[in-house]
Amino acid sequence: MTEAVQCYGRKKTATAVAHCKRGRGVIKINGSPIELVEPDVLKFKVYEPILILGKERFANVDIRVRVKGGGQVSQVYAIRQAIAKAIVAYYQKYVDEASKKEIKDLLVRYDRTLLVADPRRCEPKKFGGGGARARYQKVKCVSSPRSFLSV
């Protein structure tokens, strides 16, 4: 049986599932190499777990990530979380507890959202207004002062 773990990362409505197994250091996202992540501005966000831990920790594992839902930014944050959680889970299950703890401490010290999901979600719209909190404007129907006197 192959040594493999499966972990997910979430941000808003984007979900990324990372499948981590023993291999040659290949990291693919939706079937394409990690170098082709769009947009270019957020490419380093995806690379963060690799840059923090060093390439030698990823040299003997293959990670395949499937991501769907959300927008581009949410997907990038979900991918980086899935990669970080997958490498921690792989080291815990198949390497040793000491190196797993070291990896986890490095990631948490850099950015806690690499391992812990952000619970914020979009608030649903309610009736009586244009959005979640906004209300429709009140219309004042002010009658003229003469209408009171003419009675």
Side-chain angles (χ1 to χ4, degrees):
M1 196 177 130
T2 61
E3 295 180 358
V5 291
Q6 206 169 11
C7 287
Y8 65 89
R10 282 206 181 105
K11 173 76 173 167
K12 292 186 180 177
T13 55
T15 306
V17 180
H19 189 77
C20 183
K21 61 180 182 179
R22 186 189 297 234
R24 298 177 287 111
V26 177
I27 300 174
K28 293 209 171 188
I29 295 160
N30 285 348
S32 60
I34 195 168
E35 296 86 40
L36 302 178
V37 170
E38 288 291 322
D40 287 333
V41 181
L42 294 168
K43 200 175 277 190
F44 270 102
K45 279 285 173 195
V46 177
Y47 277 116
E48 273 178 2
I50 301 154
L51 296 171
I52 294 162
L53 302 174
K55 287 191 176 183
E56 64 278 349
R57 287 205 172 96
F58 289 86
N60 59 350
V61 292
D62 284 353
I63 300 176
R64 307 234 183 284
V65 184
R66 293 187 317 274
V67 63
K68 64 181 180 203
Q72 284 184 319
V73 176
S74 292
Q75 284 190 350
V76 165
Y77 277 86
I79 289 165
R80 74 197 273 265
Q81 189 182 68
I83 291 171
K85 284 169 84 171
I87 200 77
V88 168
Y90 182 85
Y91 269 73
Q92 181 178 14
K93 199 167 182 182
Y94 300 112
V95 187
D96 63 328
E97 193 68 30
S99 57
K100 170 250 170 183
K101 184 158 176 41
E102 183 187 341
I103 287 171
K104 196 171 179 179
D105 289 343
L106 279 169
L107 292 170
V108 170
R109 198 175 323 125
Y110 178 77
D111 186 2
R112 190 167 177 265
T113 57
L114 280 166
L115 296 176
V116 181
D118 186 356
R120 295 178 294 175
R121 296 289 176 269
C122 187
E123 190 175 345
K125 180 196 176 301
K126 284 98 177 173
F127 58 86
R133 301 286 174 100
R135 300 293 100 202
Y136 293 131
Q137 206 167 356
K138 287 181 183 165
V139 180
K140 293 182 182 175
C141 295
V142 179
S143 48
S144 65
R146 289 188 187 148
S147 64
F148 295 115
L149 300 172
S150 62
V151 177

